Amino acid sequence: DIQMTQSPSSLSASVGDRVTITCQTSQDINNYLNWYQQKPGKAPKLLIYDASNLETGVPSRFSGSGSGTSFTLTISSLQPEDIATYYCQQYDNLLYIFGQGTKLEIK
Amino acid sequence: QVQLQESGPGLVKPSGTLSLTCAVSGGSISSGHWWSWVRQRPGKGLEWIGEIFHSGSTNYNPSLENRVTMSVDESKNHFSLRLIYATAADTAVYYCARQGYASLSPSLDSWGQGTLVIVSS
């Protein structure tokens, strides 16, 4: 089974900061990696699919990059409404696997 | 735009059966998407339970497959989850979700709001 490691588990940043969250996999998964945002008390929301494609309606300050075993979610300028937990996700052997999550807070 | 809505008992007794339904509106459950259940224990991350196609084909998480059954009712445009022998560890918010078309890798592009199920006597 492919293992996923997401880091950091929590992050505190100031409004306007550039924020980076990483996800690493134990095997090469090409660019088959997706990112979700989950605001407190809400359902997850797909942000980025196939490593770098922005889902419709997602602000352009969000971007994704990477391929193979290392992936990054970047928020170019953190906004107060970006406070959430972020999850990476891949699909392996007919199984959705989520990363452990990164809780993002405002400093 | 498709909308999903979970429903079912919010309280299940230990060793009982957890049963939930996800109603799909704004689109047909027979549209060619796979439909998933995902749960989130209090304060924890996301755990995928399984998925079903309108034909009835299913894929389950191996960690739960001996207790899980999913079904689909095309006439009612909904799909269901059944989890037997519930324990306190099954206490969670349960989400239903739809696999999207846009991505090459399976992703969940539409989600219900979630429903909290507590397993307790």
Side-chain angles (χ1 to χ4, degrees):
Chain A
D1 293 352
I2 298 177
Q3 306 301 314
M4 298 178 67
T5 304
Q6 189 176 338
S7 62
S9 57
S10 64
L11 175 58
S12 183
S14 300
V15 172
D17 282 355
R18 183 181 183 87
V19 171
T20 299
I21 298 169
T22 64
C23 187
Q24 293 194 311
T25 59
S26 58
Q27 296 178 35
D28 188 331
I29 60 169
N30 201 338
N31 65 336
Y32 299 148
L33 191 285
N34 307 309
W35 291 96
Y36 298 82
Q37 175 194 62
Q38 185 179 31
K39 295 186 177 181
K42 300 294 186 182
K45 170 189 171 184
L46 180 64
L47 275 184
I48 290 171
Y49 61 90
D50 296 341
S52 61
N53 295 292
L54 226 57
E55 178 73 345
T56 302
V58 173
S60 59
R61 63 180 179 274
F62 290 92
S63 64
S65 63
S67 66
T69 63
S70 184
F71 302 86
T72 300
L73 171 68
T74 300
I75 307 173
S76 60
S77 177
L78 184 66
Q79 300 302 303
E81 60 267 31
D82 300 334
I83 297 313
T85 299
Y86 294 84
Y87 295 92
C88 55
Q89 171 258 313
Q90 57 109 5
Y91 190 82
D92 174 51
N93 263 348
L94 302 178
L95 176 66
Y96 282 83
I97 301 171
F98 292 93
Q100 303 91 330
T102 296
K103 186 174 183 179
L104 178 57
E105 298 174 329
I106 294 286
K107 193 181 293 183
Chain B
Q1 181 173 343
V2 72
Q3 292 188 312
L4 292 79
Q5 178 68 58
E6 306 88 349
S7 62
L11 182 63
V12 175
K13 292 190 184 308
S15 76
T17 298
L18 186 158
S19 295
L20 296 173
T21 294
C22 180
V24 178
S25 58
S28 171
I29 202 166
S30 306
S31 56
H33 296 273
W34 284 81
W35 304 90
S36 279
W37 288 97
V38 178
R39 72 180 183 181
Q40 187 170 36
R41 295 186 177 102
K44 302 299 183 182
L46 302 170
E47 179 183 25
W48 181 75
I49 300 169
E51 62 184 354
I52 188 165
F53 197 64
H54 67 86
S55 63
S57 296
T58 55
N59 296 309
Y60 297 141
N61 188 324
S63 68
L64 293 166
E65 66 179 342
N66 61 339
R67 297 195 293 132
V68 168
T69 304
M70 293 182 185
S71 60
V72 63
D73 188 330
E74 291 181 276
S75 66
K76 295 182 179 178
N77 218 37
H78 73 207
F79 62 105
S80 300
L81 168 70
R82 193 166 173 265
L83 181 69
I84 62 174
Y85 305 130
T87 71
D90 295 313
T91 293
V93 174
Y94 287 76
Y95 296 100
C96 56
R98 183 188 77 171
Q99 180 183 321
Y101 281 147
S103 57
L104 293 174
S105 64
S107 64
L108 300 170
D109 69 350
S110 296
W111 294 68
Q113 65 184 24
T115 188
L116 174 63
V117 179
I118 297 172
V119 180
S120 175
S121 54

